[in-house]
Amino acid sequence: MSLGYPPPLAEIVEFFDGLGEDEKRENLIAYADAAEGCGPKPGEGFDLTDERKDEECTDTVGVFLRVDPATRAAHFRIRLGPHVQTLTKAMAAILCKGLDGATPEQILEVAQDFVPRIVGGNLVRVRSQTVYYILTRLKGACQVWLQRERAAR
Amino acid sequence: MNAKFADYAHPEALVDGAWLQEHLTDPSLRIVESNEDVLLYDTGHIPGAVHIDWRGDLQDNTVRDYIAPEKFAEVCSKNGITPQTTVVFYGDKANWWATYALWAFRLFGHDKVKILDGGRDKWKAENRPMTREKPTPARTQYPVPAARKDAEIRAFFEDALAFSKAHKPLIDVRSPKEYTGETTHMPEYPQEGVLRGGHVPGARSVPWKTAANDDGTFKSAAELKKIYTENLGLEPASEIIAYCRIGERSSHTWFVLTYLLGYTKVRNYDGSWTEWGNRVRAPVAKGDQPG
């Protein structure tokens, strides 16, 4: 079941659910390869930019958030430093796609229990916990955006 | 041979990128990549290299221990390794996990081992060939080792405690803040479940990175002698225990002391701080002094 996930994320989770460990790895690599294309494009504007290097991640992670004022649909761009782990790169690409169009409130409600369903039990372990980090950063951006929205009223 | 290697106690334990590139198809070698990043091998590796995973292949995944000799024989057999095969290890993180895998191979008596100096990052930085094609080595029949040689190169909690009480050489290779107890995780990593910070009383702080250059290669023999022989006063026959958090950074130091400096009685305490820092009533020293 993927109840509670935004539809694009639910679709990705269900796709990975049906894969064996080897196929999961192949698809995670494909998403990791795609992460490079998830960064901000020239000319794009954002409501919130949060680019920093945290203690719990091996390199810089930049989160760029734009929320459509009419529909409240959120759109993310994510820029990763070269030393970010492959799983984290894959999760960045998955979340860029899977959360696209959801509202900030919906994103804050997304439970992290989808991560092992995508990644598989063999890859979630000590030294791969930063796979959860990207979701935390995206939720953090949504929280800040909502706080600013409330303050502006 | 790389001129730097000649001054090490066991220069044969290292290869450089130029040498390895010339020997990619040498049938007496098996190149093994071992990483912290679990998917890194899949994104590209040295042509012909197989992947041996520190967790999935070398550790018992139920009990916190290493695999049994039967499983080790299977790991080698499926990767086309025989007792006569020279295994060349390399990996990410300046070879943390490569030296860990090498150390684990030594636990089973496989002594024909080498490290690629500088590991994966240096190989890539030199623009040497990489591929995503996974090799399919012909299966071998690696004989099951008679036993795992834990007593020779592996230390346990009781051993480290005895060293602490007897003021024998203990080397804490973690970052300075982990040693003092200011943090319970290493820089750039999340907390990994340790309840207390600090170090084993009596342990001297020599972070693993002290032995490595910025490009991940090992420092010269003269530099290493200054660090471990002159500054710490360690002798080649000294009994030494090295530890970190889970045994991988201390594998790097174990390799340096054993192969590059030729110390003969070095053991790696793989339980390390994730065991010691959680153990009820284990003595803990705080601050920058050994205690």
Side-chain angles (χ1 to χ4, degrees), chain A residues 87-152:
Chain A
L87 262 182
T88 310
K89 288 180 186 170
M91 195 51 63
I94 286 168
L95 289 174
C96 248
K97 182 178 175 184
L99 299 181
D100 191 60
T103 66
E105 291 88 345
Q106 287 171 333
I107 291 167
L108 287 179
E109 292 296 314
V110 173
Q112 63 181 20
D113 57 4
F114 70 88
V115 171
R117 294 174 62 186
I118 287 179
V119 172
N122 288 343
L123 300 181
V124 177
R125 59 194 198 186
V126 169
R127 298 293 161 91
S128 63
Q129 294 299 307
T130 52
V131 72
Y132 293 102
Y133 171 76
I134 297 291
L135 179 62
T136 305
R137 287 287 304 277
L138 299 186
K139 285 185 173 183
C142 288
Q143 260 171 343
V144 171
W145 187 90
L146 286 168
Q147 285 164 4
R148 288 180 184 174
E149 185 193 46
R150 279 194 289 272

Side-chain angles (χ1 to χ4, degrees), chain B residues 227-242:
Chain B
I227 296 163
Y228 297 99
T229 310
E230 293 176 29
N231 295 353
L232 286 191
L234 299 174
E235 299 293 337
S238 299
E239 287 187 275
I240 302 163
I241 293 176

Side-chain angles (χ1 to χ4, degrees), chain A residues 25 28-29 32-33 53-58 83-87 90 123-130, chain B residues 36-40 42-43 51 53-56 93 97 132 185-190 192 246 248:
Chain A
R25 292 177 82 100
L28 286 167
I29 296 300
D33 288 343
K53 162 84 181 66
D54 279 337
E55 273 282 294
E56 63 265 44
C57 194
T58 52
H83 299 297
V84 168
Q85 288 214 348
T86 309
L87 262 182
L123 300 181
V124 177
R125 59 194 198 186
V126 169
R127 298 293 161 91
S128 63
Q129 294 299 307
T130 52
Chain B
E36 178 165 287
D37 183 333
V38 288
L39 289 175
L40 196 56
D42 302 71
T43 69
H51 180 222
D53 181 41
W54 62 277
R55 167 82 181 264
K93 298 281 176 186
W97 299 98
R132 287 193 175 187
H185 62 87
M186 58 180 160
E188 302 176 344
Y189 285 79
E192 290 173 337
I246 56 175
E248 88 294 8

Side-chain angles (χ1 to χ4, degrees), chain B residues 58 60 65-69 104 106-109 145-152 154 156:
Chain B
L58 298 176
D60 183 314
D65 200 355
Y66 294 94
I67 51 176
R106 284 283 317 275
L107 283 177
F108 294 97
R148 212 173 55 206
K149 298 180 175 180
D150 285 351
E152 292 179 22
R154 187 181 184 194
F156 294 89

Side-chain angles (χ1 to χ4, degrees), chain B residues 93-139:
Chain B
K93 298 281 176 186
N95 279 326
W96 285 0
W97 299 98
T99 51
Y100 182 89
L102 182 151
W103 173 77
F105 266 60
R106 284 283 317 275
L107 283 177
F108 294 97
H110 193 104
D111 296 335
K112 294 169 80 75
V113 289
K114 296 177 187 289
I115 288 285
L116 171 62
D117 195 25
R120 181 187 166 98
D121 285 347
K122 188 160 197 294
W123 180 274
K124 283 194 76 176
E126 291 171 345
N127 293 314
R128 298 191 186 280
M130 298 286 280
T131 182
R132 287 193 175 187
E133 189 179 331
K134 294 181 181 175
T136 51
R139 186 178 175 80

